[in-house]
C-alpha cells in the first residue's frame, strides 16, 4: 500500500520522492500535467511509481498523507476531496523538515527573496560554515535533505510552500516585505496573503530569531495584532532600531552585539533601495551567527547577483539592455524603475495576476519614454497606460520586442525587461523569457 502520495512532479515533488525513497517510504507520484524528462529519469532510478496527464484518485485516496507541490491551488477539487477523507496534506518543506538534522534560515517576502537567500548563503559559505542553499530557488529543500546532512540550510520560501507547513520551524526567519501578489490564490484577500507569509514564524520560540522590515506597514500592522515569540530584529531606512539594522544616506549599520558593524553604501555589491533592505536582512542573520565583521563586509562587496534580476545584458550603440524577467509583480517593477537613471523603454506584460498598475504611475511618468507590451493579451496593461505613455507598442516574441525597443532607443536610453506578469502565455517560465530576451539582444 502506498504510504504517501506526492502531488506534482516538478523540482519539489521529485525532491520529495528522493527523500521518501531514502527514508524507506513507499511513494506514488501523480502529476496532472507532463513530467519533465529529467524528473522522469530520477523517479525511474529511484524505483518510484509515477503517472502523468492524470490523477488516479482511487490509488491516491489509499495514501494516508499527501505531499502537495506548491503550484497546486489550495482549493483544488482534488485537495478538497482529500480533506474530506481526512488525508493529511503537507508541503514538501514540511516533509523535508521531519528529516532535517541541521538548522534552517528561512527567507520569505513578496520581493527580494532569491537575492537575500543567495546573499545569506554567500556570507555563511565564505565564513566556512557547513551550509547549503535551496527551496524556492535551485534544489528543493527535500532534495537537499535527501542528498546529505548539513549544519545549516538557507531556504527561500514562497507563501505557497508555507501554506502547507505544520511543524516547520526555522531558527532564523527573515520576512522582507509584503505587497499584493498571487491574490488569485487567496480569494483576492490581501489579509489572507499576509497571514500566509507570517506562517514562517508560527512555530518559532524564544530561542529563535525573527528578522523583519520595520518600514513595511503590512508587516508591522500584523505584528501589532499577532506578537511573534522569537527575538525580533528590525531593519529600516526610516528608523534607527535597537537590535537590528538601519541605513543613513551614506552608511549601513548593524547594532546587534558589543561590536557594531558599518559599511559605506557605495561599497555594496547590490545597489538600489530594495537591495539595501536585502543586504541589511542578510547581514543581521550573519551577525546572529557571530560571523566576523570583516567577512560580512567582504561578502557584501563581492557578491554577484542572480540571473534575470536587474541583470545587465550589454550595450548596443549606447543603448543599455537590462534583463529583469524575474520581476513578475508590480512591486518588483517599482523597485526596478526606481533604480533607473536614464530614459527607459519598458518591456512588460504576460499573464496578469490581478495587478494594480497605479502604484507605478509616478515612476512611469518620470522615467518611461515608451512601453512595449509583450504578451498574448495586453488589454489591461494598455488600458493602464493609454494617455500616460505616448508610445505604446505590441510584441509577441522576445525577439520582436528587442528589435522594436532598439528602433525606438537612442544613445543613453535603457531598455528594461521588467514584466510585472507571469510568463506562461509565451514562455516556459521567467528564466526562458529572460534567456530569449538576452539571446535577442546578442543577435542585434
Amino acid at each position: 500500500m502506498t504510504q504517501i502520495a506526492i502531488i506534482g512532479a516538478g523540482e519539489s515533488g521529485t525532491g520529495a520522492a528522493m527523500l521518501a525513497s531514502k527514508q524507506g517510504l513507499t511513494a506514488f507520484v501523480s502529476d496532472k500535467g507532463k513530467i519533465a524528462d529529467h524528473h522522469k529519469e530520477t523517479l525511474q532510478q529511484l524505483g518510484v511509481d509515477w503517472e502523468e496527464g492524470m490523477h488516479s484518485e482511487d490509488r491516491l485516496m489509499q495514501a494516508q498523507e499527501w505531499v502537495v507541490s506548491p503550484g497546486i491551488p489550495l482549493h483544488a477539487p482534488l485537495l478538497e476531496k482529500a480533506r474530506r477523507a481526512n488525508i493529511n496534506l503537507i508541503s514538501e518543506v514540511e516533509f523535508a523538515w521531519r528529516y532535517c538534522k541541521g538548522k534552517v534560515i528561512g527567507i520569505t517576502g513578496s520581493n527580494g527573496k532569491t537575492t537575500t537567500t543567495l546573499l545569506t548563503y554567500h556570507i555563511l559559505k565564505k565564513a566556512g560554515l557547513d551550509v547549503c542553499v535551496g527551496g524556492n530557488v535551485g534544489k528543493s529543500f527535500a532534495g537537499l535533505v535527501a542528498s546529505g546532512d548539513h549544519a545549516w540550510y538557507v531556504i527561500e520560501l514562497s507563501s505557497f510552500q508555507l501554506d502547507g507547513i505544520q511543524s516547520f520551524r526555522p531558527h532564523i526567519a527573515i520576512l522582507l516585505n509584503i505587497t499584493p501578489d498571487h491574490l488569485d490564490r487567496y480569494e483576492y484577500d490581501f489579509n489572507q496573503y499576509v497571514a500566509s507569509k507570517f506562517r514562517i514564524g508560527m512555530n518559532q520560540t524564544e530561542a529563535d530569531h525573527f528578522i523583519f522590515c520595520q518600514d513595511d506597514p503590512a508587516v508591522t500592522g500584523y505584528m501589532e495584532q499577532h506578537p511573534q515569540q522569537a527575538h525580533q530584529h528590525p531593519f529600516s531606512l526610516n528608523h534607527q532600531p535597537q537590535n537590528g539594522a538601519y541605513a543613513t544616506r551614506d552608511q549601513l549599520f548593524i547594532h546587534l552585539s558589543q561590536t557594531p558593524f558599518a559599511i559605506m553604501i557605495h561599497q555594496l555589491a547590490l545597489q538600489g533601495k530594495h537591495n539595501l533592505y536585502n543586504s541589511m536582512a542578510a547581514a543581521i542573520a550573519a551577525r546572529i551567527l557571530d560571523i566576523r565583521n570583516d567577512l560580512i563586509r567582504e561578502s557584501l562587496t563581492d557578491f554577484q547577483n542572480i540571473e534575470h534580476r536587474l541583470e545587465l545584458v550589454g550595450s548596443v550603440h549606447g543603448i543599455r539592455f537590462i534583463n529583469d524577467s524575474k520581476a513578475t509583480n508590480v512591486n518588483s517593477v517599482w523597485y526596478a524603475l526606481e533604480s533607473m537613471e536614464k530614459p527607459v523603454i519598458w518591456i512588460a506584460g504576460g499573464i496578469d495576476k490581478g495587478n494594480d498598475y497605479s502604484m507605478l504611475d509616478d515612476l512611469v511618468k518620470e522615467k518611461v519614454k515608451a512601453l512595449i507590451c509583450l504578451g498574448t493579451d495586453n488589454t489591461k496593461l494598455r488600458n493602464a497606460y493609454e494617455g500616460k505613455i505616448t508610445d505604446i507598442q505590441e510584441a509577441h516574441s522576445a525577439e520582436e520586442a528587442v528589435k522594436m525597443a532598439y528602433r525606438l532607443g537612442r544613445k543613453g536610453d535603457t531598455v528594461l525587461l521588467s514584466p510585472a506578469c507571469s510568463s506562461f502565455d509565451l514562455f516556459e517560465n521567467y528564466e526562458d523569457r529572460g534567456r530569449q530576451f538576452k539571446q535577442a539582444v546578442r543577435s542585434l
Side-chain angles (χ1 to χ4, degrees):
M1 178 180 164
T2 299
Q3 291 168 292
I4 65 163
I6 298 169
I7 315 299
E11 181 66 33
S12 175
T14 305
M18 292 168 59
L19 184 55
S21 179
K22 184 177 180 180
Q23 296 300 323
L25 300 173
T26 303
F28 174 56
V29 178
S30 177
D31 197 312
K32 198 170 185 179
K34 184 169 170 51
I35 301 176
D37 289 342
H38 64 288
H39 291 320
K40 285 182 189 175
E41 288 175 19
T42 300
L43 295 173
Q44 285 164 349
Q45 288 169 3
L46 292 170
V48 171
D49 284 350
W50 55 269
E51 65 178 359
E52 63 179 349
M54 62 183 292
H55 289 311
S56 299
E57 291 191 16
D58 288 347
R59 183 168 182 186
L60 291 172
M61 290 295 170
Q62 294 173 22
Q64 299 153 336
E65 185 168 63
W66 291 6
V67 179
V68 182
S69 294
I72 297 169
L74 287 171
H75 301 294
L78 181 66
L79 301 191
E80 296 285 15
K81 190 171 183 178
R83 289 187 188 99
R84 289 194 297 272
N86 292 319
I87 292 170
N88 190 37
L89 305 182
I90 61 171
S91 68
E92 165 260 322
V93 167
E94 175 69 19
F95 184 59
W97 171 250
R98 291 179 183 171
Y99 306 102
C100 176
K101 295 178 181 176
K103 289 187 176 181
V104 171
I105 300 176
I107 299 165
T108 195
S110 301
N111 297 286
K113 294 188 295 294
T114 302
T115 298
T116 306
T117 298
L118 295 178
L119 176 57
T120 304
Y121 168 73
H122 177 66
I123 299 171
L124 271 58
K125 189 73 174 174
K126 188 178 278 279
L129 275 65
D130 173 21
V131 60
C132 61
V133 64
N136 199 45
V137 57
K139 202 169 185 179
S140 68
F141 185 23
L144 291 174
V145 173
S147 299
D149 295 331
H150 294 275
W152 287 97
Y153 294 80
V154 181
I155 303 297
E156 177 186 335
L157 296 162
S158 70
S159 58
F160 296 4
Q161 292 167 311
L162 291 169
D163 286 333
I165 67 168
Q166 293 171 356
S167 61
F168 172 72
R169 175 190 157 199
H171 179 56
I172 299 174
I174 298 176
L175 177 51
L176 294 165
N177 47 59
I178 308 178
T179 56
D181 192 16
H182 304 297
L183 293 190
D184 50 339
R185 182 179 171 102
Y186 297 101
E187 301 173 344
Y188 296 93
D189 181 351
F190 183 53
N191 291 327
Q192 285 188 34
Y193 177 58
V194 172
S196 177
K197 286 293 187 191
F198 267 93
R199 289 176 65 83
I200 193 171
M202 73 181 197
N203 295 313
Q204 286 191 302
T205 70
E206 293 176 357
D208 302 314
H209 301 267
F210 187 80
I211 301 169
F212 67 97
C213 181
Q214 192 176 2
D215 299 342
D216 190 313
V219 172
T220 54
Y222 187 93
M223 291 177 69
E224 287 173 5
Q225 301 296 320
H226 306 87
Q228 303 301 299
Q229 297 301 310
H231 292 285
Q232 295 180 19
H233 306 282
F235 56 90
S236 174
L237 298 182
N238 302 327
H239 311 279
Q240 295 188 4
Q242 297 296 313
N243 208 32
Y246 62 91
T248 62
R249 186 171 180 177
D250 303 314
Q251 285 184 281
L252 183 159
F253 297 92
I254 301 172
H255 287 286
L256 216 66
S257 63
Q258 299 302 314
T259 53
F261 172 89
I263 186 172
M264 299 300 292
I265 288 172
H266 72 81
Q267 293 179 287
L268 296 172
L270 297 171
Q271 291 294 307
K273 180 179 174 182
H274 58 300
N275 279 323
L276 200 47
Y277 284 127
N278 299 338
S279 296
M280 286 193 285
I284 291 172
R287 287 303 299 131
I288 289 170
L289 299 184
D290 287 326
I291 292 174
R292 298 198 324 263
N293 282 350
D294 59 328
L295 281 170
I296 298 173
R297 185 174 292 104
E298 188 179 323
S299 301
L300 292 177
T301 56
D302 68 7
F303 175 70
Q304 293 185 323
N305 201 4
I306 55 171
E307 189 180 15
H308 312 300
R309 172 60 85 206
L310 288 173
E311 176 191 10
L312 177 61
V313 180
S315 295
V316 182
H317 294 121
I319 303 169
R320 291 197 318 157
F321 290 82
I322 292 179
N323 168 27
D324 194 38
S325 183
K326 200 172 188 299
T328 58
N329 59 54
V330 172
N331 206 57
S332 289
V333 177
W334 189 94
Y335 286 125
L337 288 173
E338 187 259 343
S339 66
M340 296 293 118
E341 296 178 355
K342 306 289 186 181
V344 174
I345 298 165
W346 176 30
I347 301 174
I351 298 177
D352 187 283
K353 299 185 289 185
N355 290 344
D356 176 5
Y357 294 103
S358 62
M359 71 175 288
L360 301 176
D361 284 355
D362 290 343
L363 282 171
V364 166
K365 183 178 178 182
E366 177 189 350
K367 303 195 178 193
V368 175
K369 62 181 278 187
L371 168 64
I372 297 171
C373 302
L374 177 60
T376 56
D377 181 3
N378 300 311
T379 307
K380 185 175 177 183
L381 187 60
R382 283 196 74 107
N383 290 344
Y385 290 106
E386 291 282 5
K388 298 176 184 175
I389 300 174
T390 53
D391 200 339
I392 300 179
Q393 308 275 346
E394 297 232 5
H396 298 286
S397 72
E399 182 181 20
E400 184 184 6
V402 166
K403 287 180 177 177
M404 199 175 282
Y406 182 57
R407 287 196 300 270
L408 292 169
R410 298 289 179 266
K411 186 176 181 179
D413 289 351
T414 295
V415 175
L416 172 68
L417 171 67
S418 195
C421 298
S422 296
S423 56
F424 303 116
D425 54 342
L426 293 174
F427 307 95
E428 290 181 16
N429 46 42
Y430 77 81
E431 293 101 331
D432 178 44
R433 176 170 57 192
R435 286 173 193 140
Q436 288 196 37
F437 173 79
K438 292 196 289 183
Q439 183 56 48
V441 171
R442 290 166 186 149
S443 298
L444 286 174

